């Protein structure tokens, strides 16, 4: 979870451009994890959040401010497709 934009507190910049079926890659300890976006939804920005995912799958959850909307946050759920050493 992190702020969107270009400020010093912003961790994400272009998440709003993601769509279902887009690929997300995470590189960690010489392994490339490839995920596919399977769900995108908004939640009220009220200090709580509901995460809707398949608990039988390995997932990546990204949460950030909704572009041009100060009252909601957007949740991106991605499912692991592959892991490869690099």
């Amino acid at each position: 979870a992190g702020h969107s934009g270009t400020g010093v507190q912003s961790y994400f910049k272009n998440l709003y451009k993601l769509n279902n079926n887009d690929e997300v890659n995470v590189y960690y300890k010489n392994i490339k994890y490839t995920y596919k976006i399977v769900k995108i939804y908004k939640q009220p920005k009220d200090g709580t959040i509901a995460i809707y995912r398949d608990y039988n799958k390995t997932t990546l959850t990204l949460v950030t401010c909704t572009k041009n909307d100060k009252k909601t946050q957007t949740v991106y759920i991605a499912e692991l497709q592959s892991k490869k050493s690099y």
Side-chain angles (χ1 to χ4, degrees):
H3 291 287
S4 290
T6 57
V8 296
Q9 295 178 343
S10 299
Y11 188 76
F12 300 117
K13 181 177 178 186
N14 294 313
L15 283 188
Y16 72 94
K17 293 180 179 181
L18 288 175
N19 294 301
N20 283 324
N21 296 313
D22 282 352
E23 189 175 278
V24 176
N25 296 307
V26 175
Y27 298 85
Y28 181 69
K29 292 190 176 185
N30 297 319
I31 298 176
K32 176 184 174 184
Y33 298 85
T34 300
Y35 295 85
K36 180 175 75 172
I37 300 289
V38 295
K39 188 180 298 183
I40 302 170
Y41 60 95
K42 294 179 184 176
Q43 289 278 288
K45 194 185 291 186
D46 62 6
T48 64
I49 191 164
I51 304 296
Y52 304 111
R53 68 178 191 88
D54 183 342
Y55 285 90
N56 295 312
K57 297 183 179 181
T58 301
T59 59
L60 173 70
T61 303
L62 303 169
V63 181
T64 194
C65 319
T66 300
K67 186 173 176 80
N68 299 321
D69 182 350
K70 295 183 185 236
K71 295 182 180 182
T72 65
Q73 52 199 345
T74 304
V75 181
Y76 302 83
I77 305 293
E79 294 177 350
L80 184 65
Q81 303 297 299
S82 65
K83 296 189 310 189
K84 296 179 183 175
S85 296
Y86 68 96

